[in-house]
Amino acid sequence: MVAIFRKVKTMIDFAGFSHGMPSIIAMLVFLLIASLNSDGAMAAKPEINLTHAGIRGVPTYTPKHPLKFTLSWENPSKQRRTIQWTQKLWDYLSEDWVTELRTTELPAGITNYKETITVTPPQPGVYRFTVSPIKGVSVSSVKFDFGYSRAPWPDELPDDWPICFHVHPDELGYGVMPDGFKRYRVFRHWSRIETEPGKYKWSKMDKVVQQVHDLGGKVLWVVQGPPVWSLPKEDRKPISHDKNSLANMVNNKNRLAFRRFLNAFWDRYGPNGTVYPGTIDAIEVWNETNVETWTYDWSKPKQMGRDYANLVQDIYEITRAKAPHAKIIGLSMSSGQHYERMKYLMDGVARNGKSTLQMIDALSSHTYAEMLQIGPGNNMAGQFLPMWKLAEKRGAHGLPMWNTEAGTGKIKWDGSPHIMTQAEVQAYYEKQGIINPKAPQKLINGKWRQCSEQRAAAIYVRGILQNIELKASNIFLYRLRAGKYSFVWANGRPTLDYLAVAELAYRMKHGWKQLKRIDSVRGLVPDKREQLVRVWQMPTPEGRLLIAYLDPKEKKSYQLGHARDIKPMEFVFNLKALKLNPVDFGVETFDMFGRNVRKLRVGVDGKVTISLDINPRYIKLRESVVSGH
């Protein structure tokens, strides 16, 4: 028998996915097992390499940039060979396989036979792609997971686009950004750049700025963390969040060093800089300034207010000179209501006699628990409105609000083809008997419990809508992969929450500035005592788009993140209340992922019945004539 050496190599090429970006090797390698051939020669171990120019380790593809595979086969034999293999696609949302049998004819004596396959899933989703040889080659199957969305690219979005993203360069491998966002919040501490006095390590920051620049996006840079060499010996630690670190940023010795560093920073990245000028167009002064573990000792709150004002002054003076149009974002309050410390920070007066509020362009705050809650209490409105009111009392009127971190925790995925539902998550916690009855959002040990991935998707979509309603300028979603807060990537695949936000970005792209809540429109929907219907409206090129979901009627704050699913309820929408002529429009609905499309029948009275639950649902009104406008 003629000895046959077989090798299968599968490579993925992200066709058209360049936008000037350098390719990023994702380091996803599966080694396959090859057998000995008939002459006893050892066959080389085949491998699959994932190569793309998108998110490192998080392949998410769009119709604009399709997913392509290049299969490479080797057949040194003098005989022609036929390879049979299956191409399978697992849909995580429908939990269904699509299988296709493929055949490849290998010419004799060839060492690098290639064929290209384009994979276009039928609808947005998270998928597992599998290639399994079944005849003519003795290797195992190969597989990987990817997402398919319609997220717009940053260069397609306006500068004031409200959906933003928080990235962490150390975690991501630098310069790795998902689609659907315009602005990216980046941590890169002073201590990580100026590791020795006057010696700057710019390379990692350069990679981040380059990636965002090439995508057509913008960067919000967070200023924090004095270098270890600048601290008193008793405070020197390998991290930059030491107690008194803010005080050390503004003392007489370090103040000059910091100003020298900030000058060098804007000389490099400012509008007249040498590296991707103008990509960094906003700077946030510290992170979660009210939290001791992030900043400093709050035992002297008035001094802390002065220290913060002095830091803002240094940033204000140099930024206005070197990057006059860059926004200075201030306070950076953590999730929760911290009014007393907020007051001290606002009341701090710098060396130049100006208060912090006189030198910043916007306020900033974070929302985590607030993303989960609806009703009265500690929700988004309860986070933003007090900050605005305190600022206005001090003469600072009309300061924008930037929500510079927003996220929700979700339960860990076990890697199986099934993603846990909210009902299964509830049953799991109840079976364990660890839910705190006095605080259902927490476990007996005091830790926050997590919700399902689908519920997290609903929370992010609803949170973005609330953020826009409250006129917060930006919402930065946190973050790519960070344990329970992994928004884009979790345990080997893209997440449902990112997929839902990508679909919202696709739907909002043309009409988000006209987005408004309309559930108060008289006669739109009937009142149901058990539930509240929330309805949003905005224009799109295809007609009017509504986004609707249910809120429970609760007197107290309601923990949406940990609530049981609400049984779907049917509501009659009277579309005549929107001044539509029922003869001239059609209605179709689809879920928050852009799937499960249904065309609905509208009566001559303009009424249509729509089933709703906690999860946002899109209602598209295709209009040919709009009356009453």
Side-chain angles (χ1 to χ4, degrees), residues 348-380:
V349 177
R351 296 179 179 93
N352 63 2
K354 291 185 177 182
S355 70
T356 292
L357 293 176
Q358 292 175 299
M359 297 182 286
I360 61 176
D361 299 301
L363 300 165
S364 61
S365 184
H366 298 169
T367 56
Y368 286 94
E370 295 82 3
M371 288 279 283
L372 306 177
Q373 292 173 309
I374 57 177
N378 187 25
N379 51 24
M380 276 190 173

Side-chain angles (χ1 to χ4, degrees), residues 367-407:
T367 56
Y368 286 94
E370 295 82 3
M371 288 279 283
L372 306 177
Q373 292 173 309
I374 57 177
N378 187 25
N379 51 24
M380 276 190 173
Q383 182 77 344
F384 299 154
L385 297 181
M387 289 186 71
W388 271 320
K389 289 180 180 179
L390 288 174
E392 288 173 357
K393 283 183 179 180
R394 288 154 176 78
H397 298 278
L399 279 177
M401 177 70 67
W402 288 34
N403 187 357
T404 51
E405 282 185 28

Side-chain angles (χ1 to χ4, degrees), residues 57-60 125-127 145-148 419 453 487-490 492-499:
V58 189
T60 53
V126 178
Y127 296 91
D145 294 340
F146 68 95
Y148 186 72
I419 301 174
E453 206 168 303
F487 163 63
V488 174
W489 175 254
R493 62 165 175 77
T495 65
L496 298 183
D497 20 330
Y498 172 66
L499 183 70

Side-chain angles (χ1 to χ4, degrees), residues 7-13 69-75 85 102 104-107 110-117:
K7 180 179 180 181
V8 182
K9 185 176 183 181
T10 308
M11 301 187 69
I12 302 157
D13 173 38
F69 298 87
T70 300
L71 293 170
S72 299
W73 309 90
E74 291 189 6
N75 180 28
W85 51 281
R102 306 291 294 265
T104 298
E105 297 290 338
L106 294 182
I110 193 166
T111 58
N112 192 17
Y113 183 82
K114 293 184 178 181
E115 56 183 314
T116 300
I117 307 159

